[in-house]
Amino acid sequence: MAQIGVETSGINAPRAGARAWLALVVLMLPVLLVSVDNTVLSFALPEIAIALAPSGAEQLWIIDAYPLVLAGLLVTMGTLGDRFGRRRMLLIGSTGFAAVSVLAAFAPTAALLIAARALLGFFGAMLMPSTLSLLRSIFQNRDQRRMAIAVWASAFSAGSALGPIVGGFLLEHFAWGSVFLIAVPVLIPLLVGAPLLVPESRDPAPGRIDPISIALSMATMIPVVYAIKAVAVDGITVAAVLWALLGVAMGWLFVRRQLRAKTPMLDMALFRRGSFSGAILVNLLSVVALVGFLYFVPQHLQLILGLSPMMAGIALVPGMLAVIVAGLSVVPVSRRVPPHILVPSALAFSVVGYLLVAFTTAGHGALPLILAFVVLGIGIGAAETISNELILSSAPAAKAGAASAVSETAYELGAVLGTAVLGGIITAFYRSALVVPEGVPSGVAEAARETLAGAYTAAQDLPDPLGSALWEAAASAFDSGVLVTSLIGAVLVVGAGTIAAVTLRTSRSR
């Protein structure tokens, strides 16, 4: 049988030894850090909202400033890694990420926290393409590389599973800023171990640095994502449409420049391969569904069900473990089942998970959410392992950084869309469905309409029975948004499965 992807020569390539697997352990550290950071922030958001009192838009920006900047710079940083050295970029990014994490931990206002998150995105853009592309050079044997990528992807899930536990402990014993400080002890071993264990790799014939292409790539991503966020918060406006058109125009110029360049920053021919472009879209839609789920569920568990941050984190651990187990278990299956069958079959589990959320959340406690996340995680874990392997194996080894950057751009854009679109939808439904009881002062009512955390704080400050009535109305309005958002999430996963069934037919298992 044929091999997944296009690089059949990798089947008989030399097998890596123990040093390579130790290098993989080191490369998992920044992956763990990024995934822990994303999960911890979701769980810390209620306390951040109470402490810094952000508006609804600021609350979304606290989450999205990091992936927005990161998504705009990933292709640039991946290309620079191909040219100047992927390990070098990894070490620079790790140092900067640790330093800025300390600044974020002590941000006194929402605006400064957003700025710190944006700077974290700048250094984070150096981390992820470097880790994935280094695997391409370390593990030349295709079977070993598939397992290494499964471990790499599982590190994301392991960090997500560890994040709620560590974050819950920190939030119960320390201020919310402590969740950012965990970057320091994670990155110190990386800075020591990477020079010893991870070999440097780069493109042996890199093209020239193209500042215009770098500017165009950022000018494409940032306006598009900003427009999506603006629509999610304020609806369709003239400004949002103009931002979207600007991003599309810049994207057209970027593609046009790459097609005409002798040594393009991003080889557009990669997108003509179904195994590459299809896997990118599967990654994008899968992450939208997953991050959207992780946006509203922690709020429901903590604010509506009254769980502590620690208990809310423990409630989602089974789902995170399901992602890990599915990602590793799918590796032997992928050798026998073609990806255009395997990926849609896996994503069918995720559809069932979202439907469980839609019809069992209101009034049924935490158990349905735990079960739903387990089912959702099975599909996402398996699909992400296969799609990441297809992306990396479809690209030439010398362009591994750029290909990895495209994969990570899809991931981070999916994270932005998951929060902006699904988070924006649930916020819009919450605001429209919230009926503020008579007698609530106008200023308090306005704060309650901004976010669920704002309603929680407002209800605590009001005397009973007025405070209880306001909180019951807010909880009901939030759950009505969960129903609609979950159905939309299910549709997105169906779309990802359909794309995989159509585009991955050119890639088969060995």
Side-chain angles (χ1 to χ4, degrees):
M1 290 182 289
Q3 174 83 351
I4 287 180
V6 297
E7 188 189 274
T8 56
S9 61
I11 300 172
N12 299 317
R15 298 181 67 85
R19 183 185 179 90
W21 295 104
L22 290 175
L24 173 62
V25 173
V26 172
L27 292 177
M28 285 171 59
L29 293 174
V31 177
L32 284 168
L33 174 64
V34 171
S35 58
V36 166
D37 180 73
N38 287 337
T39 308
V40 164
L41 186 63
S42 296
F43 277 81
L45 189 59
E47 290 199 16
I48 293 174
I50 293 172
L52 302 183
S55 65
E58 286 178 328
Q59 182 167 302
L60 289 174
W61 273 111
I62 288 173
I63 295 177
D64 285 343
Y66 169 80
L68 172 63
V69 174
L70 191 148
L73 288 173
L74 276 170
V75 173
T76 297
M77 295 301 185
T79 304
L80 292 178
D82 286 342
R83 180 180 181 86
F84 295 111
R86 294 147 189 163
R87 187 183 67 179
R88 178 179 297 175
M89 295 296 290
L90 178 65
L91 294 174
I92 294 172
S94 299
T95 304
F97 198 97
V100 178
S101 294
V102 177
L103 298 178
F106 298 100
T109 65
L112 290 176
L113 180 58
I114 292 170
R117 289 279 293 166
L119 196 54
L120 285 172
F122 174 82
F123 289 107
M126 302 180 189
L127 298 179
M128 301 314 298
S130 298
T131 59
L132 190 56
S133 57
L134 283 167
L135 293 183
R136 180 69 171 75
S137 60
I138 294 173
F139 295 95
Q140 299 180 26
N141 181 276
R142 185 73 186 275
D143 286 337
Q144 282 190 317
R145 185 166 67 243
R146 185 186 289 112
M147 178 57 71
I149 291 174
V151 173
W152 180 90
S154 296
F156 256 110
S157 304
S160 299
L162 184 63
I165 304 300
V166 175
F169 175 82
L170 292 174
L171 291 171
E172 288 190 3
H173 294 85
F174 305 98
W176 59 264
S178 60
V179 300
F180 292 101
L181 294 177
I182 59 177
V184 177
V186 172
L187 289 175
I188 288 177
L190 170 67
L191 294 173
V192 174
L196 299 176
L197 296 170
V198 178
E200 183 62 280
S201 71
R202 56 173 58 90
D203 186 345
R208 64 183 181 86
I209 296 177
D210 185 0
I212 296 178
S213 291
I214 292 174
L216 287 174
S217 68
M218 296 182 64
T220 299
M221 293 297 303
I222 293 177
V224 169
V225 176
Y226 184 83
I228 294 170
K229 288 179 56 59
V231 171
V233 175
D234 301 320
I236 299 176
T237 63
V238 174
V241 172
L242 291 177
W243 279 112
L245 291 176
L246 175 62
V248 172
M250 293 298 102
W252 179 80
L253 291 175
F254 175 81
V255 172
R256 185 169 179 265
R257 185 173 182 84
Q258 303 314 300
L259 291 174
R260 292 187 172 187
K262 292 182 179 180
T263 54
M265 188 174 85
L266 179 62
D267 185 2
M268 303 308 296
L270 289 172
F271 293 94
R272 300 192 186 103
R273 301 176 179 179
S275 58
F276 185 85
S277 58
I280 290 292
L281 291 174
V282 169
N283 262 2
L284 174 66
L285 294 177
S286 297
V287 173
V288 169
L290 179 62
V291 172
F293 180 91
L294 292 176
Y295 176 79
F296 63 77
V297 168
Q299 297 184 66
H300 181 90
L301 291 174
Q302 293 183 60
L303 296 176
I304 294 180
L305 298 184
L307 298 182
S308 67
M310 174 73 81
M311 293 306 298
I314 292 174
L316 292 185
V317 166
M320 298 298 183
L321 294 177
V323 177
I324 298 172
V325 173
L328 294 174
S329 300
V330 79
V331 173
V333 179
S334 68
R335 297 170 185 155
R336 298 173 176 84
V337 182
H340 73 277
I341 296 176
L342 184 57
V343 173
S345 300
L347 291 176
F349 284 91
S350 299
V351 175
V352 173
Y354 254 122
L355 294 178
L356 284 172
V357 175
F359 297 111
T360 63
T361 297
H364 290 83
L367 185 58
L369 285 176
I370 296 173
L371 178 61
F373 193 32
V374 169
V375 180
L376 179 75
I378 291 173
I380 297 297
E384 286 292 308
T385 293
I386 299 302
S387 59
N388 277 316
E389 202 277 335
L390 287 171
I391 291 167
L392 201 58
S393 296
S394 297
K399 303 298 181 183
S404 302
V406 174
S407 174
E408 291 303 321
T409 299
Y411 183 92
E412 295 302 332
L413 182 58
V416 172
L417 291 173
T419 302
V421 175
L422 297 186
I425 289 172
I426 197 170
T427 300
F429 270 87
Y430 166 76
R431 290 174 177 172
S432 63
L434 177 60
V435 179
V436 178
E438 293 185 6
V440 176
S442 59
V444 175
E446 186 62 29
R449 289 192 182 95
E450 279 291 324
T451 63
L452 184 64
Y456 178 83
T457 303
Q460 297 297 313
D461 294 337
L462 292 174
D464 279 332
L466 192 59
S468 298
L470 174 61
W471 178 241
E472 289 177 6
S476 176
F478 188 82
D479 282 343
S480 68
V482 168
L483 170 63
V484 176
T485 304
S486 300
L487 293 176
I488 294 174
V491 171
L492 290 175
V493 178
V494 170
T498 303
I499 290 171
V502 173
T503 62
L504 302 185
R505 289 182 178 273
T506 58
S507 303
R508 308 181 191 278
S509 60
R510 181 160 60 102

